Amino acid sequence: MSHAIGLRCTICGAEYDVHEVDYVCPKHGYDGILDVLYDYEEIRRRIAPEALTANSERSIWRYLPLLPVAEETARRLAEGTVLGSVGWTPLYPAPRLGARLGLRNLWVKDDGRQPTASYKDRASAIAVVKARERGAEVVTTASTGNAAAALAGLCAAVGQRTVIFVPRTAPQAKVAQLLAYGATVLLVDGTYDQAFDLCLEAAEAFGWYNRNTAYNPYMSEGKKTGAYEICEQLARQTNWPAPFRAPDVIFVPVGDGCIIGGIHKGLRDLAALGWIEKMPRLMGVQAEGSSPLVDAWERGLEGWEMQPVEARSIADSIVASLPRDRNKALRAVRETGGAYLRVSDEEILAAIPALAQGCGVFAEPAAAAAYAGLLKAVERGLVSPEEHIVVLATGSGLKDVASVMRATGQPTVVAPSLEEVRRALGVLAG
Ligand SMILES: *Cc1c(COP(=O)(O)O)cnc(C)c1O
Ligand SMILES: [Zn+2]
């Protein structure tokens, strides 16, 4: 049993029992993305926040009473497996980076430290447990790469079969992960959006459990755990007199919008439970060449009014021509008084070494985009010096070294002699 008591359509507000509907609102099809509902009264009665944060479990499973899975199944699968290592990634204070920007309270959360090296592990972890609850033989997803790697890795951890659809252009490291984990990999000769539609069709035709972002309402519930962790870790690090403390602003890189929607959900849970006092402003960062949510936000459009656009960027993980979780993504920024920002590929590339050198966090392009967005926000006066600001670094730089090398250039080559080293260092110093 879990405390998830229902599902509600983000368009029409219709509510469904969790046993009645698996994926989207029957009245609205693929647009009808669902929110997962909880009995907050019951949770508050049963669990004190102090007890929750005193838990010795250092993973997302420390928040099990707030997750939409059968607790027994989750415990059994996570015990002693890689699935048990998802989450509780470090939140680093970044005083040198902050000082450069005139910010006194800057943090970086490093989800490159997840088992498969991206934030997607949080969602795929929930998918693995739900699939087991349903007794599914095969789990499937379409992905730009990271969601697939996360699903493949966590399924491998528990011996679950997967079929994965990724665009042929996905970076090598991500494809290598899929193959090594033993997933059945279908490289789609087309875009991510085409891979997504194909995966939906195949799942229906073959009766597979579908992890697809936004289509599966439970993925936001995995992704919300980042918000719980940020608030818990911030409270500890600032000696806050309560178990959770909300920062003032969070910067999130946005492609489909599931991460930013999930972070918003986590904060809404904490607020509904009375465990945080205010909502941080959520800042969604998109790549200039793939920024339909920035457009929609600027023009005041709703998610279901959006049309697909041409999308391209070096930050492959945030390229989406029609962001699948657009309803939640727009709501997250609107309801928190945040903003959507565009950053160029040049700014994204420059952000990789800047972040790595400023605080030691090595990020893939999409993850570095969040930091590039912070620079833009500082420029525009959207944040102030005393505010508590968190940058969400969503994936490891090892995911896409070719792009990183474009930002860093090539290293110096020397013959194996001290003379050569002297010369090279002289040249470097000069
Ligand atoms: C998927 C992903 C994102 C964007 O998440 P969405 O839910 O698609 O908005 C950002 N960074 C990385 C590294 C990702 O893998
Ligand atoms: Zn509906």
Side-chain angles (χ1 to χ4, degrees):
M1 276 300 291
S2 86
H3 291 290
I5 52 162
L7 300 164
R8 183 192 291 135
C9 176
T10 52
I11 298 179
C12 67
E15 294 189 6
Y16 304 97
D17 187 88
V18 290
H19 303 290
E20 195 181 348
V21 167
D22 278 331
Y23 300 113
V24 285
C25 172
K27 291 182 214 151
H28 287 97
Y30 297 153
D31 282 337
I33 297 155
L34 300 172
D35 278 313
V36 181
L37 309 175
Y38 292 83
D39 184 348
Y40 293 116
E41 276 306 313
E42 171 68 12
I43 294 172
R44 212 173 11 215
R45 237 191 333 268
R46 284 201 21 203
I47 302 152
E50 292 80 8
L52 198 67
T53 58
N55 194 328
S56 62
E57 183 65 54
R58 292 162 63 85
S59 72
I60 60 170
W61 308 115
R62 70 195 278 102
Y63 306 115
L64 204 40
L66 302 171
L67 297 177
V69 291
E71 298 197 17
E72 267 318 297
T73 313
R75 275 216 188 81
R76 186 161 38 77
L77 290 172
E79 176 69 34
T81 69
V82 173
L83 188 64
S85 304
V86 175
W88 203 248
T89 55
L91 179 72
Y92 296 116
R96 274 184 299 130
L97 263 190
R100 231 183 270 160
L101 303 173
L103 303 173
R104 276 188 274 282
N105 298 293
L106 179 62
W107 276 266
V108 175
K109 182 146 176 84
D110 185 10
D111 260 57
R113 294 276 300 270
Q114 295 280 9
T116 79
S118 88
Y119 198 92
K120 299 296 196 296
D121 283 354
R122 298 180 184 275
S124 289
I126 301 295
V128 169
V129 179
K130 298 254 31 117
R132 189 58 59 95
E133 283 175 21
R134 305 283 154 88
E137 250 168 64
V138 172
V139 190
T140 189
T141 197
S143 161
T144 56
N146 282 339
L151 186 64
L154 299 177
C155 281
V158 303
Q160 168 76 48
R161 265 194 71 202
T162 55
V163 178
I164 303 287
F165 297 78
V166 284
R168 207 170 144 188
T169 50
Q172 282 281 302
K174 298 179 183 179
V175 178
Q177 279 184 295
L178 298 176
L179 296 170
Y181 287 130
T184 300
V185 181
L186 299 171
L187 284 189
V188 179
D189 197 5
T191 62
Y192 163 57
D193 302 273
Q194 291 171 312
F196 193 102
D197 293 334
L198 185 58
C199 176
L200 288 178
E201 245 182 277
E204 270 170 36
F206 304 123
W208 298 335
Y209 187 72
N210 197 327
R211 178 227 179 270
N212 272 5
T213 295
Y215 178 72
N216 185 321
Y218 299 107
M219 298 305 93
S220 310
E221 299 301 302
K223 289 185 170 181
K224 76 182 181 181
T225 57
Y228 296 167
E229 289 176 20
I230 287 170
C231 294
E232 187 180 345
Q233 291 167 322
L234 191 65
R236 285 184 190 208
Q237 291 187 32
T238 59
N239 298 313
W240 194 245
F244 293 95
R245 177 183 189 178
D248 297 296
V249 193
I250 305 177
F251 285 82
V252 185
V254 179
D256 275 324
C258 186
I259 296 181
I260 197 165
I263 293 278
H264 186 215
K265 178 64 189 302
L267 295 165
R268 280 162 54 214
D269 283 351
L270 295 178
L273 289 162
W275 296 354
I276 56 171
E277 288 161 6
K278 57 154 193 198
M279 270 288 168
R281 306 196 299 284
L282 296 182
M283 310 294 255
V285 185
Q286 292 212 286
E288 218 166 57
S290 177
S291 51
L293 285 165
V294 193
D295 296 338
W297 179 71
E298 286 171 348
R299 295 167 54 201
L301 292 184
E302 296 295 345
W304 52 92
E305 298 170 320
M306 290 172 66
Q307 295 298 322
V309 297
E310 185 78 31
R312 75 172 62 235
S313 165
I314 190 149
D316 63 292
S317 300
I318 50 172
V319 174
S321 81
L322 182 61
R324 300 290 166 165
D325 227 350
R326 49 197 180 274
N327 302 350
K328 292 182 186 175
L330 286 169
R331 185 178 66 186
V333 166
R334 285 193 180 128
E335 286 189 0
T336 63
Y340 266 108
L341 299 161
R342 275 185 202 88
V343 292
S344 69
D345 277 7
E346 291 67 38
E347 290 166 328
I348 289 172
L349 282 178
I352 297 173
L355 189 61
Q357 291 160 34
C359 69
V361 171
F362 185 32
E364 70 163 88
Y371 177 65
L374 170 64
L375 299 188
K376 192 125 293 185
V378 168
E379 224 173 79
R380 297 214 192 134
L382 297 177
V383 293
S384 54
E386 295 300 332
E387 287 189 310
H388 288 70
I389 300 170
V390 175
V391 171
L392 197 57
T394 44
S396 165
L398 293 175
K399 289 278 195 172
D400 185 4
V401 290
S403 293
V404 175
M405 293 300 280
R406 279 181 57 182
T408 58
Q410 296 295 324
T412 310
V413 177
V414 294
S417 87
L418 189 57
E419 233 0 83
E420 274 275 308
V421 173
R422 275 208 184 91
R423 200 177 58 79
L425 293 178
V427 170
L428 289 178

